[in-house]
Amino acid sequence: MKNFKLMATMGAGMESLVARELKEMGYATETENGRVFFDGTVEDIYRTNLWLRVADRIKIVVQEFDAKTFDQLFEKTKSFPWEDLLPYDANFPVNGRSKNSILHSVPTVQSITKKAIVKRLSEAYHTHSYLPETGQRYVLETAIDKNHVMITLDTTGDSLFKRGYRTEKGGAPLKETMAAALVKLAHWFTDNPFVDPTTGSGTIAIEAALIGRNIAPGLNREFDITDWDWFDKNIGQTLKAQARSMINFDEPLDITGYDIDENMIEIAKANAEAAGVGEDITFKQLAAADWSTDKINGVLVANPPYGERLGDEEAARKLYSQMGHIYNKMPTWSKYILTSDEEFETAFGKKATKKRKLYNGALKVDLYQYWGKKIRN
């Protein structure tokens, strides 16, 4: 089976998490900003699309070369046997990026790449008319950095954060990949309680349950590669069957999500049902300021409103202060709180054990980590 150079892409700050996921799956990795490289077959392409929780996409690195002129870009692109990847009727849009390069005009880079591939395919398929592009989608990207060209083919399609379970989003949704990253960063063990006190549409709690049950995040969706004529659909069916057999139905889980908005609780419940974890999470209407617990050794992960999002800055900081008043009396609990407010620690009333910079979409945020001191039961 042919081996490809593959690339997982992810949000800034998530690289080490995706690299760890890939290493746990048995792949050797090489990490750069926003992407992790590894090698694999078509089976590996499907497996990683199916199982990676934090990555956005899996791409095939089709070509790499240096180019300082558009003639070089055209000729080197045309030299690749594109007919091995793209059928006659392939729908192949070409995206582009360029930085620190002579070929800085992205529209021209896209146009030249497209023309070169069309020329190659027209010769390979012996046609002098336009290629129909009425078939399956093959999304290409030409990225140029310091005159080094990398042309990639996206195997994923809709981003991997689209798990397929979120029926309604609510006011300020957190992407599923970011929610999974927060759970991973919290180092939660399934024999400990897990709480999201500002659960919104339930994404963090749902991702925790998917991890706790060992449910593959891509189990309820498909990927662009599934429809390609050189992909054997039996591979996908086999890997999904294996994934279903690996679900852990026996592990007792203690996962709870709270929100002040009753409508959000109903949305969270519906989303959890759609994800197949409706029985594993308890959702309750409750203000974050009114929550307390006698449980020990828990993990709390919160994505509360932060000024820019749902409420104003003053209201957000009042909530942080209320959280601090409650959580600082819970020494065995580890608390992980995501916000863009750089004055969070002041409002919360305690300096974090550690801060980690992340990006929620384009918004720079910090994950404030307060590590608990676990005690034996």
PDB file of all heavy atoms in Angstrom, residues 305-333:
ATOM      1  N   PRO A 305     -18.195  33.347  30.110  1.00  0.00           N
ATOM      2  CA  PRO A 305     -18.241  34.564  29.277  1.00  0.00           C
ATOM      3  C   PRO A 305     -17.057  35.462  29.579  1.00  0.00           C
ATOM      4  O   PRO A 305     -16.680  35.622  30.738  1.00  0.00           O
ATOM      5  CB  PRO A 305     -19.550  35.230  29.715  1.00  0.00           C
ATOM      6  CG  PRO A 305     -20.358  34.143  30.332  1.00  0.00           C
ATOM      7  CD  PRO A 305     -19.384  33.196  30.949  1.00  0.00           C
ATOM      8  N   TYR A 306     -16.437  36.018  28.513  1.00  0.00           N
ATOM      9  CA  TYR A 306     -15.338  36.941  28.760  1.00  0.00           C
ATOM     10  C   TYR A 306     -15.481  38.230  27.975  1.00  0.00           C
ATOM     11  O   TYR A 306     -14.874  38.425  26.938  1.00  0.00           O
ATOM     12  CB  TYR A 306     -13.950  36.339  28.493  1.00  0.00           C
ATOM     13  CG  TYR A 306     -13.792  35.216  27.505  1.00  0.00           C
ATOM     14  CD1 TYR A 306     -13.541  35.431  26.157  1.00  0.00           C
ATOM     15  CD2 TYR A 306     -13.836  33.891  27.960  1.00  0.00           C
ATOM     16  CE1 TYR A 306     -13.330  34.391  25.279  1.00  0.00           C
ATOM     17  CE2 TYR A 306     -13.630  32.846  27.087  1.00  0.00           C
ATOM     18  CZ  TYR A 306     -13.382  33.099  25.749  1.00  0.00           C
ATOM     19  OH  TYR A 306     -13.179  32.050  24.880  1.00  0.00           O
ATOM     20  N   GLY A 307     -16.341  39.111  28.494  1.00  0.00           N
ATOM     21  CA  GLY A 307     -16.430  40.469  27.978  1.00  0.00           C
ATOM     22  C   GLY A 307     -16.763  40.554  26.506  1.00  0.00           C
ATOM     23  O   GLY A 307     -17.870  40.941  26.135  1.00  0.00           O
ATOM     24  N   GLU A 308     -15.803  40.152  25.650  1.00  0.00           N
ATOM     25  CA  GLU A 308     -16.012  40.229  24.208  1.00  0.00           C
ATOM     26  C   GLU A 308     -17.175  39.357  23.756  1.00  0.00           C
ATOM     27  O   GLU A 308     -17.705  39.528  22.671  1.00  0.00           O
ATOM     28  CB  GLU A 308     -14.757  39.738  23.445  1.00  0.00           C
ATOM     29  CG  GLU A 308     -13.516  40.568  23.648  1.00  0.00           C
ATOM     30  CD  GLU A 308     -12.665  40.048  24.782  1.00  0.00           C
ATOM     31  OE1 GLU A 308     -13.197  39.287  25.618  1.00  0.00           O
ATOM     32  OE2 GLU A 308     -11.478  40.416  24.840  1.00  0.00           O
ATOM     33  N   ARG A 309     -17.579  38.406  24.600  1.00  0.00           N
ATOM     34  CA  ARG A 309     -18.444  37.342  24.121  1.00  0.00           C
ATOM     35  C   ARG A 309     -19.905  37.582  24.448  1.00  0.00           C
ATOM     36  O   ARG A 309     -20.663  38.040  23.621  1.00  0.00           O
ATOM     37  CB  ARG A 309     -17.955  36.003  24.683  1.00  0.00           C
ATOM     38  CG  ARG A 309     -18.517  34.819  23.977  1.00  0.00           C
ATOM     39  CD  ARG A 309     -17.969  33.537  24.536  1.00  0.00           C
ATOM     40  NE  ARG A 309     -18.490  33.263  25.856  1.00  0.00           N
ATOM     41  CZ  ARG A 309     -18.589  32.059  26.367  1.00  0.00           C
ATOM     42  NH1 ARG A 309     -18.165  31.032  25.679  1.00  0.00           N
ATOM     43  NH2 ARG A 309     -19.073  31.857  27.551  1.00  0.00           N
ATOM     44  N   LEU A 310     -20.336  37.345  25.649  1.00  0.00           N
ATOM     45  CA  LEU A 310     -21.763  37.376  25.956  1.00  0.00           C
ATOM     46  C   LEU A 310     -22.172  38.539  26.859  1.00  0.00           C
ATOM     47  O   LEU A 310     -23.278  39.041  26.762  1.00  0.00           O
ATOM     48  CB  LEU A 310     -22.189  36.062  26.626  1.00  0.00           C
ATOM     49  CG  LEU A 310     -22.129  34.821  25.754  1.00  0.00           C
ATOM     50  CD1 LEU A 310     -22.487  33.594  26.566  1.00  0.00           C
ATOM     51  CD2 LEU A 310     -23.067  34.949  24.570  1.00  0.00           C
ATOM     52  N   GLY A 311     -21.303  38.930  27.767  1.00  0.00           N
ATOM     53  CA  GLY A 311     -21.652  39.996  28.688  1.00  0.00           C
ATOM     54  C   GLY A 311     -20.579  41.055  28.662  1.00  0.00           C
ATOM     55  O   GLY A 311     -19.615  40.959  27.934  1.00  0.00           O
ATOM     56  N   ASP A 312     -20.746  42.109  29.439  1.00  0.00           N
ATOM     57  CA  ASP A 312     -19.715  43.127  29.460  1.00  0.00           C
ATOM     58  C   ASP A 312     -18.604  42.730  30.424  1.00  0.00           C
ATOM     59  O   ASP A 312     -18.694  41.757  31.174  1.00  0.00           O
ATOM     60  CB  ASP A 312     -20.304  44.500  29.813  1.00  0.00           C
ATOM     61  CG  ASP A 312     -20.985  44.524  31.178  1.00  0.00           C
ATOM     62  OD1 ASP A 312     -20.659  43.662  32.028  1.00  0.00           O
ATOM     63  OD2 ASP A 312     -21.834  45.396  31.400  1.00  0.00           O
ATOM     64  N   GLU A 313     -17.529  43.504  30.393  1.00  0.00           N
ATOM     65  CA  GLU A 313     -16.333  43.180  31.167  1.00  0.00           C
ATOM     66  C   GLU A 313     -16.617  43.160  32.671  1.00  0.00           C
ATOM     67  O   GLU A 313     -16.135  42.278  33.391  1.00  0.00           O
ATOM     68  CB  GLU A 313     -15.247  44.207  30.841  1.00  0.00           C
ATOM     69  CG  GLU A 313     -13.880  43.855  31.353  1.00  0.00           C
ATOM     70  CD  GLU A 313     -12.849  44.864  30.905  1.00  0.00           C
ATOM     71  OE1 GLU A 313     -12.748  45.932  31.538  1.00  0.00           O
ATOM     72  OE2 GLU A 313     -12.141  44.601  29.919  1.00  0.00           O
ATOM     73  N   GLU A 314     -17.405  44.113  33.125  1.00  0.00           N
ATOM     74  CA  GLU A 314     -17.706  44.199  34.561  1.00  0.00           C
ATOM     75  C   GLU A 314     -18.453  42.953  35.043  1.00  0.00           C
ATOM     76  O   GLU A 314     -18.145  42.388  36.095  1.00  0.00           O
ATOM     77  CB  GLU A 314     -18.523  45.458  34.850  1.00  0.00           C
ATOM     78  CG  GLU A 314     -18.803  45.695  36.330  1.00  0.00           C
ATOM     79  CD  GLU A 314     -19.608  46.955  36.576  1.00  0.00           C
ATOM     80  OE1 GLU A 314     -19.719  47.772  35.649  1.00  0.00           O
ATOM     81  OE2 GLU A 314     -20.131  47.110  37.696  1.00  0.00           O
ATOM     82  N   ALA A 315     -19.443  42.522  34.261  1.00  0.00           N
ATOM     83  CA  ALA A 315     -20.213  41.337  34.632  1.00  0.00           C
ATOM     84  C   ALA A 315     -19.341  40.090  34.616  1.00  0.00           C
ATOM     85  O   ALA A 315     -19.458  39.216  35.483  1.00  0.00           O
ATOM     86  CB  ALA A 315     -21.396  41.166  33.678  1.00  0.00           C
ATOM     87  N   ALA A 316     -18.441  40.009  33.619  1.00  0.00           N
ATOM     88  CA  ALA A 316     -17.550  38.853  33.530  1.00  0.00           C
ATOM     89  C   ALA A 316     -16.638  38.787  34.755  1.00  0.00           C
ATOM     90  O   ALA A 316     -16.448  37.720  35.350  1.00  0.00           O
ATOM     91  CB  ALA A 316     -16.719  38.923  32.247  1.00  0.00           C
ATOM     92  N   ARG A 317     -16.080  39.930  35.145  1.00  0.00           N
ATOM     93  CA  ARG A 317     -15.168  39.939  36.291  1.00  0.00           C
ATOM     94  C   ARG A 317     -15.888  39.668  37.606  1.00  0.00           C
ATOM     95  O   ARG A 317     -15.308  39.079  38.524  1.00  0.00           O
ATOM     96  CB  ARG A 317     -14.399  41.258  36.328  1.00  0.00           C
ATOM     97  CG  ARG A 317     -13.375  41.327  35.205  1.00  0.00           C
ATOM     98  CD  ARG A 317     -12.588  42.601  35.173  1.00  0.00           C
ATOM     99  NE  ARG A 317     -11.612  42.565  34.079  1.00  0.00           N
ATOM    100  CZ  ARG A 317     -10.915  43.611  33.673  1.00  0.00           C
ATOM    101  NH1 ARG A 317     -11.051  44.788  34.283  1.00  0.00           N
ATOM    102  NH2 ARG A 317     -10.059  43.492  32.679  1.00  0.00           N
ATOM    103  N   LYS A 318     -17.150  40.051  37.686  1.00  0.00           N
ATOM    104  CA  LYS A 318     -17.935  39.702  38.865  1.00  0.00           C
ATOM    105  C   LYS A 318     -18.080  38.176  38.954  1.00  0.00           C
ATOM    106  O   LYS A 318     -17.960  37.583  40.037  1.00  0.00           O
ATOM    107  CB  LYS A 318     -19.314  40.368  38.809  1.00  0.00           C
ATOM    108  CG  LYS A 318     -20.186  40.067  40.024  1.00  0.00           C
ATOM    109  CD  LYS A 318     -21.548  40.739  39.907  1.00  0.00           C
ATOM    110  CE  LYS A 318     -22.424  40.390  41.110  1.00  0.00           C
ATOM    111  NZ  LYS A 318     -23.783  41.005  40.985  1.00  0.00           N
ATOM    112  N   LEU A 319     -18.318  37.536  37.802  1.00  0.00           N
ATOM    113  CA  LEU A 319     -18.423  36.070  37.761  1.00  0.00           C
ATOM    114  C   LEU A 319     -17.103  35.425  38.161  1.00  0.00           C
ATOM    115  O   LEU A 319     -17.077  34.472  38.940  1.00  0.00           O
ATOM    116  CB  LEU A 319     -18.834  35.613  36.364  1.00  0.00           C
ATOM    117  CG  LEU A 319     -18.857  34.102  36.117  1.00  0.00           C
ATOM    118  CD1 LEU A 319     -19.842  33.412  37.056  1.00  0.00           C
ATOM    119  CD2 LEU A 319     -19.209  33.795  34.663  1.00  0.00           C
ATOM    120  N   TYR A 320     -15.979  35.966  37.672  1.00  0.00           N
ATOM    121  CA  TYR A 320     -14.672  35.406  38.024  1.00  0.00           C
ATOM    122  C   TYR A 320     -14.444  35.494  39.534  1.00  0.00           C
ATOM    123  O   TYR A 320     -13.897  34.567  40.143  1.00  0.00           O
ATOM    124  CB  TYR A 320     -13.542  36.160  37.311  1.00  0.00           C
ATOM    125  CG  TYR A 320     -13.639  36.181  35.801  1.00  0.00           C
ATOM    126  CD1 TYR A 320     -13.045  37.213  35.079  1.00  0.00           C
ATOM    127  CD2 TYR A 320     -14.311  35.190  35.087  1.00  0.00           C
ATOM    128  CE1 TYR A 320     -13.119  37.254  33.693  1.00  0.00           C
ATOM    129  CE2 TYR A 320     -14.394  35.235  33.716  1.00  0.00           C
ATOM    130  CZ  TYR A 320     -13.798  36.268  33.021  1.00  0.00           C
ATOM    131  OH  TYR A 320     -13.866  36.310  31.660  1.00  0.00           O
ATOM    132  N   SER A 321     -14.865  36.599  40.118  1.00  0.00           N
ATOM    133  CA  SER A 321     -14.703  36.774  41.562  1.00  0.00           C
ATOM    134  C   SER A 321     -15.537  35.747  42.329  1.00  0.00           C
ATOM    135  O   SER A 321     -15.074  35.159  43.317  1.00  0.00           O
ATOM    136  CB  SER A 321     -15.114  38.194  41.955  1.00  0.00           C
ATOM    137  OG  SER A 321     -15.055  38.369  43.346  1.00  0.00           O
ATOM    138  N   GLN A 322     -16.756  35.523  41.854  1.00  0.00           N
ATOM    139  CA  GLN A 322     -17.620  34.522  42.495  1.00  0.00           C
ATOM    140  C   GLN A 322     -17.019  33.120  42.357  1.00  0.00           C
ATOM    141  O   GLN A 322     -17.043  32.324  43.310  1.00  0.00           O
ATOM    142  CB  GLN A 322     -19.013  34.568  41.855  1.00  0.00           C
ATOM    143  CG  GLN A 322     -19.784  35.850  42.150  1.00  0.00           C
ATOM    144  CD  GLN A 322     -21.023  35.991  41.284  1.00  0.00           C
ATOM    145  OE1 GLN A 322     -21.118  35.426  40.187  1.00  0.00           O
ATOM    146  NE2 GLN A 322     -22.002  36.753  41.764  1.00  0.00           N
ATOM    147  N   MET A 323     -16.480  32.829  41.187  1.00  0.00           N
ATOM    148  CA  MET A 323     -15.817  31.535  40.985  1.00  0.00           C
ATOM    149  C   MET A 323     -14.657  31.370  41.958  1.00  0.00           C
ATOM    150  O   MET A 323     -14.494  30.321  42.581  1.00  0.00           O
ATOM    151  CB  MET A 323     -15.308  31.431  39.538  1.00  0.00           C
ATOM    152  CG  MET A 323     -16.384  31.200  38.491  1.00  0.00           C
ATOM    153  SD  MET A 323     -15.636  31.179  36.825  1.00  0.00           S
ATOM    154  CE  MET A 323     -16.822  30.133  35.958  1.00  0.00           C
ATOM    155  N   GLY A 324     -13.834  32.402  42.055  1.00  0.00           N
ATOM    156  CA  GLY A 324     -12.690  32.330  42.956  1.00  0.00           C
ATOM    157  C   GLY A 324     -13.101  32.082  44.392  1.00  0.00           C
ATOM    158  O   GLY A 324     -12.453  31.298  45.115  1.00  0.00           O
ATOM    159  N   HIS A 325     -14.158  32.729  44.810  1.00  0.00           N
ATOM    160  CA  HIS A 325     -14.644  32.563  46.193  1.00  0.00           C
ATOM    161  C   HIS A 325     -15.016  31.109  46.472  1.00  0.00           C
ATOM    162  O   HIS A 325     -14.752  30.585  47.567  1.00  0.00           O
ATOM    163  CB  HIS A 325     -15.859  33.475  46.420  1.00  0.00           C
ATOM    164  CG  HIS A 325     -16.403  33.405  47.802  1.00  0.00           C
ATOM    165  ND1 HIS A 325     -15.766  33.945  48.901  1.00  0.00           N
ATOM    166  CD2 HIS A 325     -17.549  32.831  48.295  1.00  0.00           C
ATOM    167  CE1 HIS A 325     -16.476  33.719  49.990  1.00  0.00           C
ATOM    168  NE2 HIS A 325     -17.563  33.046  49.647  1.00  0.00           N
ATOM    169  N   ILE A 326     -15.606  30.447  45.470  1.00  0.00           N
ATOM    170  CA  ILE A 326     -16.009  29.034  45.639  1.00  0.00           C
ATOM    171  C   ILE A 326     -14.819  28.098  45.440  1.00  0.00           C
ATOM    172  O   ILE A 326     -14.525  27.241  46.278  1.00  0.00           O
ATOM    173  CB  ILE A 326     -17.119  28.671  44.627  1.00  0.00           C
ATOM    174  CG1 ILE A 326     -18.354  29.548  44.834  1.00  0.00           C
ATOM    175  CG2 ILE A 326     -17.493  27.193  44.755  1.00  0.00           C
ATOM    176  CD1 ILE A 326     -19.330  29.495  43.669  1.00  0.00           C
ATOM    177  N   TYR A 327     -14.109  28.260  44.327  1.00  0.00           N
ATOM    178  CA  TYR A 327     -13.103  27.275  43.920  1.00  0.00           C
ATOM    179  C   TYR A 327     -11.868  27.289  44.804  1.00  0.00           C
ATOM    180  O   TYR A 327     -11.209  26.248  44.974  1.00  0.00           O
ATOM    181  CB  TYR A 327     -12.681  27.502  42.466  1.00  0.00           C
ATOM    182  CG  TYR A 327     -13.805  27.486  41.465  1.00  0.00           C
ATOM    183  CD1 TYR A 327     -13.645  28.017  40.189  1.00  0.00           C
ATOM    184  CD2 TYR A 327     -15.070  26.950  41.776  1.00  0.00           C
ATOM    185  CE1 TYR A 327     -14.664  28.014  39.262  1.00  0.00           C
ATOM    186  CE2 TYR A 327     -16.099  26.959  40.867  1.00  0.00           C
ATOM    187  CZ  TYR A 327     -15.900  27.494  39.609  1.00  0.00           C
ATOM    188  OH  TYR A 327     -16.915  27.498  38.695  1.00  0.00           O
ATOM    189  N   ASN A 328     -11.542  28.431  45.372  1.00  0.00           N
ATOM    190  CA  ASN A 328     -10.347  28.508  46.215  1.00  0.00           C
ATOM    191  C   ASN A 328     -10.529  27.776  47.546  1.00  0.00           C
ATOM    192  O   ASN A 328      -9.573  27.624  48.302  1.00  0.00           O
ATOM    193  CB  ASN A 328      -9.946  29.966  46.442  1.00  0.00           C
ATOM    194  CG  ASN A 328      -9.414  30.613  45.163  1.00  0.00           C
ATOM    195  OD1 ASN A 328      -8.870  29.928  44.300  1.00  0.00           O
ATOM    196  ND2 ASN A 328      -9.598  31.915  45.029  1.00  0.00           N
ATOM    197  N   LYS A 329     -11.757  27.323  47.792  1.00  0.00           N
ATOM    198  CA  LYS A 329     -12.029  26.502  48.985  1.00  0.00           C
ATOM    199  C   LYS A 329     -12.066  25.012  48.633  1.00  0.00           C
ATOM    200  O   LYS A 329     -12.498  24.190  49.437  1.00  0.00           O
ATOM    201  CB  LYS A 329     -13.364  26.906  49.602  1.00  0.00           C
ATOM    202  CG  LYS A 329     -13.405  28.361  50.092  1.00  0.00           C
ATOM    203  CD  LYS A 329     -14.796  28.736  50.563  1.00  0.00           C
ATOM    204  CE  LYS A 329     -14.864  30.203  50.985  1.00  0.00           C
ATOM    205  NZ  LYS A 329     -16.256  30.610  51.349  1.00  0.00           N
ATOM    206  N   MET A 330     -11.615  24.680  47.422  1.00  0.00           N
ATOM    207  CA  MET A 330     -11.647  23.296  46.938  1.00  0.00           C
ATOM    208  C   MET A 330     -10.226  22.860  46.607  1.00  0.00           C
ATOM    209  O   MET A 330      -9.853  22.735  45.434  1.00  0.00           O
ATOM    210  CB  MET A 330     -12.550  23.191  45.700  1.00  0.00           C
ATOM    211  CG  MET A 330     -13.997  23.585  45.954  1.00  0.00           C
ATOM    212  SD  MET A 330     -14.906  23.988  44.424  1.00  0.00           S
ATOM    213  CE  MET A 330     -14.503  22.608  43.372  1.00  0.00           C
ATOM    214  N   PRO A 331      -9.372  22.609  47.614  1.00  0.00           N
ATOM    215  CA  PRO A 331      -7.947  22.365  47.358  1.00  0.00           C
ATOM    216  C   PRO A 331      -7.643  21.081  46.605  1.00  0.00           C
ATOM    217  O   PRO A 331      -6.593  20.979  45.965  1.00  0.00           O
ATOM    218  CB  PRO A 331      -7.350  22.319  48.770  1.00  0.00           C
ATOM    219  CG  PRO A 331      -8.490  21.943  49.661  1.00  0.00           C
ATOM    220  CD  PRO A 331      -9.697  22.581  49.062  1.00  0.00           C
ATOM    221  N   THR A 332      -8.537  20.089  46.651  1.00  0.00           N
ATOM    222  CA  THR A 332      -8.241  18.830  45.950  1.00  0.00           C
ATOM    223  C   THR A 332      -8.681  18.862  44.486  1.00  0.00           C
ATOM    224  O   THR A 332      -8.391  17.930  43.738  1.00  0.00           O
ATOM    225  CB  THR A 332      -8.916  17.634  46.643  1.00  0.00           C
ATOM    226  OG1 THR A 332     -10.339  17.695  46.421  1.00  0.00           O
ATOM    227  CG2 THR A 332      -8.607  17.620  48.129  1.00  0.00           C
ATOM    228  N   TRP A 333      -9.392  19.908  44.105  1.00  0.00           N
ATOM    229  CA  TRP A 333      -9.864  20.026  42.724  1.00  0.00           C
ATOM    230  C   TRP A 333      -8.862  20.791  41.875  1.00  0.00           C
ATOM    231  O   TRP A 333      -8.267  21.780  42.314  1.00  0.00           O
ATOM    232  CB  TRP A 333     -11.206  20.765  42.674  1.00  0.00           C
ATOM    233  CG  TRP A 333     -12.386  19.909  43.019  1.00  0.00           C
ATOM    234  CD1 TRP A 333     -12.684  19.365  44.243  1.00  0.00           C
ATOM    235  CD2 TRP A 333     -13.431  19.503  42.137  1.00  0.00           C
ATOM    236  NE1 TRP A 333     -13.846  18.636  44.181  1.00  0.00           N
ATOM    237  CE2 TRP A 333     -14.333  18.703  42.895  1.00  0.00           C
ATOM    238  CE3 TRP A 333     -13.718  19.728  40.793  1.00  0.00           C
ATOM    239  CZ2 TRP A 333     -15.480  18.134  42.348  1.00  0.00           C
ATOM    240  CZ3 TRP A 333     -14.859  19.171  40.241  1.00  0.00           C
ATOM    241  CH2 TRP A 333     -15.724  18.375  41.014  1.00  0.00           C
TER     242      TRP A 333
END
